[in-house]
Amino acid sequence: MSSTASVQPKPVLVKKNPKLADHWKTKSAEELSDAEVLAMPDSEYMNEKQRAFFRHKLLQLKQEILQSAGETTEHLREDTVVVPDPADRATIEEEHALELRTRDRERKLLKKIDQSLARIDSGDYGYCDETGEPIGVARLLARPTATLSLEAQQRRELKQKLFGD
C-alpha cells in the first residue's frame, strides 16, 4: 500500500545581505534595488520608502502591461489577412486566441495592480487580508499584488483542493 500524504513545501529562506542594510537611507525609492529593499531591517517594514518602492514597481508593471496591450491590438489588426490554406488560417487563429487569453490574464492583473496601489494609499499594503500579519518583502518582490501571507495562501489553496471552492 502506498501512502499519498500531502508534503508541505519547505519555506524558502531568503538571505539578507548585511552590506546593503543601510543603502536605503541614502537612495530614493526609484533607485533602490530588490536586494536593497530585502536587506532593510524588519523594524522598517512598510515604511515610507518601501511603500514608494512598491508603488514604483507596480506602476512600472502597469505601464509594461498597457504597452503590451497596445502592441497586441496592432498585431491583431495587421494579421487580418485572408489566408486560403486552412492549416495556416488555423495556426493564425490559434495564435490570436493565445494572445487574447494572455491579454485577458493581464487585464485581471491590471485590476489587482490598481487594488494594490489603493492599498498603498490606505496603508494596508504589505499586510495579510486574513491575519493582518506582514506578508513579507520577499513575497511582495516575487508577487507585488499579493494580499495574503504565504501561510494564509497555502491554507486557502489547501481548502480549495479539499473542498473544490
Side-chain angles (χ1 to χ4, degrees):
M1 283 184 135
S2 67
S3 173
T4 56
S6 175
V7 178
Q8 289 290 336
K10 292 181 181 176
V12 178
L13 297 175
V14 181
K15 282 186 120 178
K16 291 185 177 191
N17 185 345
K19 294 177 185 173
L20 301 176
D22 291 329
H23 282 207
W24 67 274
K25 293 178 181 178
T26 58
K27 292 185 173 183
S28 71
E30 292 81 18
E31 296 172 321
L32 287 172
S33 69
D34 289 2
E36 289 167 334
V37 172
L38 192 59
M40 291 172 76
D42 292 338
S43 62
E44 296 295 332
Y45 185 72
M46 282 304 123
N47 65 10
E48 192 174 324
K49 276 256 174 95
Q50 280 189 359
R51 288 191 309 269
F53 171 82
F54 282 109
R55 172 183 294 286
H56 180 69
K57 194 171 198 65
L58 287 162
L59 289 172
Q60 277 184 317
L61 182 59
K62 183 176 182 176
Q63 187 61 40
E64 289 169 12
I65 291 171
L66 292 173
Q67 182 178 354
S68 176
E71 291 170 6
T72 295
T73 304
E74 288 302 314
H75 181 248
L76 292 176
R77 279 191 191 133
E78 291 169 1
D79 269 358
T80 56
V81 184
V82 176
V83 181
D85 182 36
D88 289 343
R89 193 173 334 127
T91 300
I92 290 170
E93 288 176 11
E94 185 60 32
E95 287 173 358
H96 287 184
L98 181 62
E99 202 164 342
L100 289 171
R101 280 195 302 269
T102 302
R103 295 305 154 246
D104 188 49
R105 271 190 235 109
E106 288 178 346
R107 179 186 56 78
K108 292 174 184 173
L109 181 57
L110 278 174
K111 189 188 292 187
K112 288 182 179 182
I113 290 171
D114 288 338
Q115 290 170 346
S116 295
L117 290 169
R119 288 171 59 90
I120 288 173
D121 292 339
S122 70
D124 294 333
Y125 185 78
Y127 295 94
C128 180
D129 277 351
E130 286 185 7
T131 64
E133 295 174 359
I135 292 173
V137 173
R139 177 157 165 74
L140 290 171
L141 287 171
R143 183 177 287 273
T145 58
T147 59
L148 297 173
S149 66
L150 188 57
E151 296 79 17
Q153 183 66 34
Q154 288 173 335
R155 280 193 306 272
R156 180 174 282 184
E157 289 173 1
L158 184 60
K159 269 187 192 175
Q160 287 175 341
K161 184 178 176 184
L162 293 174
F163 303 113
D165 180 348

